[in-house]
Amino acid sequence: MWWQQILLGLMGLSAGFAVAGGLFALIIALGVVSRFAGKTHTAKYVFWYEDAIALGGILGNLMSIYNIAVPVGQIGVAIFGAFSGVFVGAWAMALTEIVNIIPIFTRRITLRRGMELIILSMALGRTLGALLFFAQRW
Protein backbone atom coordinates (compact mmCIF):
# COMPACT_ATOMS: atom_id res chain seq x y z
CA MET A 1 0.00 0.00 0.00
CA TRP A 2 3.01 2.32 0.15
CA TRP A 3 2.81 2.82 -3.60
CA GLN A 4 -0.68 4.28 -3.20
CA GLN A 5 0.69 6.90 -0.78
CA ILE A 6 3.46 7.79 -3.23
CA LEU A 7 0.94 8.03 -6.08
CA LEU A 8 -1.35 10.25 -4.01
CA GLY A 9 1.58 12.45 -3.04
CA LEU A 10 2.65 12.84 -6.67
CA MET A 11 -0.91 13.64 -7.72
CA GLY A 12 -1.22 16.28 -5.01
CA LEU A 13 2.14 17.78 -5.93
CA SER A 14 1.17 17.86 -9.62
CA ALA A 15 -2.16 19.52 -8.83
CA GLY A 16 -0.36 22.10 -6.70
CA PHE A 17 2.06 22.86 -9.51
CA ALA A 18 -0.83 23.27 -11.94
CA VAL A 19 -2.74 25.65 -9.66
CA ALA A 20 0.38 27.67 -8.81
CA GLY A 21 1.35 27.88 -12.47
CA GLY A 22 -2.14 29.09 -13.34
CA LEU A 23 -2.05 31.75 -10.61
CA PHE A 24 1.37 33.03 -11.65
CA ALA A 25 0.27 33.05 -15.29
CA LEU A 26 -2.78 35.11 -14.29
CA ILE A 27 -0.60 37.59 -12.42
CA ILE A 28 1.60 37.98 -15.49
CA ALA A 29 -1.36 38.11 -17.91
CA LEU A 30 -3.07 40.84 -15.90
CA GLY A 31 0.06 42.90 -16.25
CA VAL A 32 0.49 43.51 -12.54
CA VAL A 33 4.25 42.92 -12.66
CA SER A 34 4.87 44.96 -15.78
CA ARG A 35 2.62 47.75 -14.46
CA PHE A 36 4.56 47.94 -11.19
CA ALA A 37 7.87 47.90 -13.06
CA GLY A 38 6.65 50.63 -15.41
CA LYS A 39 5.27 52.87 -12.67
CA THR A 40 8.42 52.61 -10.56
CA HIS A 41 10.78 52.89 -13.56
CA THR A 42 12.48 49.62 -12.63
CA ALA A 43 11.76 47.58 -15.76
CA LYS A 44 15.28 46.14 -15.76
CA TYR A 45 14.37 44.27 -12.54
CA VAL A 46 11.20 42.63 -13.85
CA PHE A 47 12.73 39.16 -13.50
CA TRP A 48 13.39 39.92 -9.83
CA TYR A 49 9.73 40.86 -9.41
CA GLU A 50 8.65 37.57 -10.96
CA ASP A 51 11.08 35.60 -8.81
CA ALA A 52 9.84 37.40 -5.68
CA ILE A 53 6.22 36.57 -6.55
CA ALA A 54 7.07 32.91 -7.11
CA LEU A 55 9.14 32.70 -3.94
CA GLY A 56 6.40 34.42 -1.94
CA GLY A 57 3.82 31.94 -3.23
CA ILE A 58 6.04 28.96 -2.41
CA LEU A 59 6.97 30.18 1.07
CA GLY A 60 3.38 31.18 1.81
CA ASN A 61 2.15 27.71 0.88
CA LEU A 62 4.83 26.01 2.98
CA MET A 63 4.05 28.22 5.96
CA SER A 64 0.35 27.52 5.55
CA ILE A 65 0.71 23.76 5.19
CA TYR A 66 3.24 23.22 7.97
CA ASN A 67 1.93 25.96 10.34
CA ILE A 68 5.28 27.71 10.49
CA ALA A 69 5.15 30.72 12.80
CA VAL A 70 7.40 33.70 12.17
CA PRO A 71 8.02 35.69 15.37
CA VAL A 72 7.95 39.27 14.09
CA GLY A 73 5.93 40.94 16.84
CA GLN A 74 3.15 43.45 16.43
CA ILE A 75 5.24 45.83 14.32
CA GLY A 76 6.06 43.02 11.89
CA VAL A 77 2.41 42.03 11.68
CA ALA A 78 1.44 45.64 10.96
CA ILE A 79 4.04 45.89 8.19
CA PHE A 80 2.90 42.57 6.74
CA GLY A 81 -0.71 43.74 6.88
CA ALA A 82 0.13 46.95 5.06
CA PHE A 83 1.97 45.12 2.29
CA SER A 84 -0.83 42.55 2.05
CA GLY A 85 -3.36 45.34 1.70
CA VAL A 86 -1.35 46.95 -1.09
CA PHE A 87 -1.10 43.58 -2.84
CA VAL A 88 -4.83 42.88 -2.59
CA GLY A 89 -5.65 46.42 -3.68
CA ALA A 90 -3.38 46.08 -6.70
CA TRP A 91 -5.08 42.80 -7.58
CA ALA A 92 -8.51 44.35 -7.32
CA MET A 93 -7.54 47.31 -9.48
CA ALA A 94 -5.85 45.05 -12.05
CA LEU A 95 -8.95 42.87 -12.28
CA THR A 96 -11.28 45.82 -12.67
CA GLU A 97 -9.01 47.32 -15.29
CA ILE A 98 -8.73 44.13 -17.29
CA VAL A 99 -12.50 43.70 -17.56
CA ASN A 100 -13.01 47.46 -18.09
CA ILE A 101 -15.63 47.54 -15.37
CA ILE A 102 -15.12 51.19 -14.41
CA PRO A 103 -15.80 52.69 -17.89
CA ILE A 104 -18.79 50.39 -18.40
CA PHE A 105 -20.18 51.24 -14.96
CA THR A 106 -19.78 54.99 -15.43
CA ARG A 107 -21.52 54.87 -18.82
CA ARG A 108 -24.41 52.82 -17.45
CA ILE A 109 -25.19 55.21 -14.63
CA THR A 110 -24.19 58.28 -16.67
CA LEU A 111 -21.64 59.37 -14.10
CA ARG A 112 -20.00 62.64 -15.08
CA ARG A 113 -18.27 63.81 -11.87
CA GLY A 114 -17.22 62.32 -8.58
CA MET A 115 -15.21 59.27 -9.67
CA GLU A 116 -12.51 60.18 -7.15
CA LEU A 117 -15.05 60.07 -4.33
CA ILE A 118 -16.38 56.69 -5.47
CA ILE A 119 -12.90 55.17 -5.53
CA LEU A 120 -12.07 56.73 -2.16
CA SER A 121 -15.30 55.42 -0.64
CA MET A 122 -14.56 51.91 -1.94
CA ALA A 123 -11.07 52.03 -0.39
CA LEU A 124 -12.39 53.37 2.92
CA GLY A 125 -15.17 50.80 2.96
CA ARG A 126 -12.72 47.98 2.41
CA THR A 127 -10.45 49.35 5.14
CA LEU A 128 -13.34 49.72 7.59
CA GLY A 129 -14.57 46.22 6.80
CA ALA A 130 -11.12 44.75 7.41
CA LEU A 131 -10.74 46.67 10.68
CA LEU A 132 -14.14 45.50 11.91
CA PHE A 133 -13.37 41.92 10.91
CA PHE A 134 -10.05 41.84 12.75
CA ALA A 135 -11.41 43.77 15.75
CA GLN A 136 -14.12 41.13 16.12
CA ARG A 137 -11.53 38.33 16.01
CA TRP A 138 -9.47 39.91 18.80
Side-chain angles (χ1 to χ4, degrees), residues 57-133:
I58 291 167
L59 291 177
N61 282 330
L62 289 174
M63 291 172 68
S64 174
I65 290 170
Y66 295 112
N67 291 326
I68 298 171
V70 180
V72 293
Q74 290 182 344
I75 300 294
V77 171
I79 292 170
F80 176 77
F83 281 111
S84 297
V86 168
F87 179 75
V88 170
W91 259 102
M93 291 310 293
L95 285 172
T96 57
E97 186 175 313
I98 200 74
V99 296
N100 292 326
I101 193 71
I102 293 175
I104 293 170
F105 179 69
T106 55
R107 274 195 305 269
R108 298 277 174 150
I109 65 170
T110 62
L111 181 68
R112 301 279 183 239
R113 298 182 318 172
M115 180 56 75
E116 301 87 9
L117 294 175
I118 291 174
I119 292 173
L120 180 63
S121 66
M122 288 190 295
L124 291 175
R126 176 138 177 97
T127 303
L128 181 63
L131 289 173
L132 290 174
F133 173 77

Side-chain angles (χ1 to χ4, degrees), residues 43-65:
K44 61 183 176 182
Y45 300 113
V46 72
F47 292 116
W48 286 62
Y49 287 137
E50 292 173 356
D51 290 343
I53 290 170
L55 184 62
I58 291 167
L59 291 177
N61 282 330
L62 289 174
M63 291 172 68
S64 174
I65 290 170

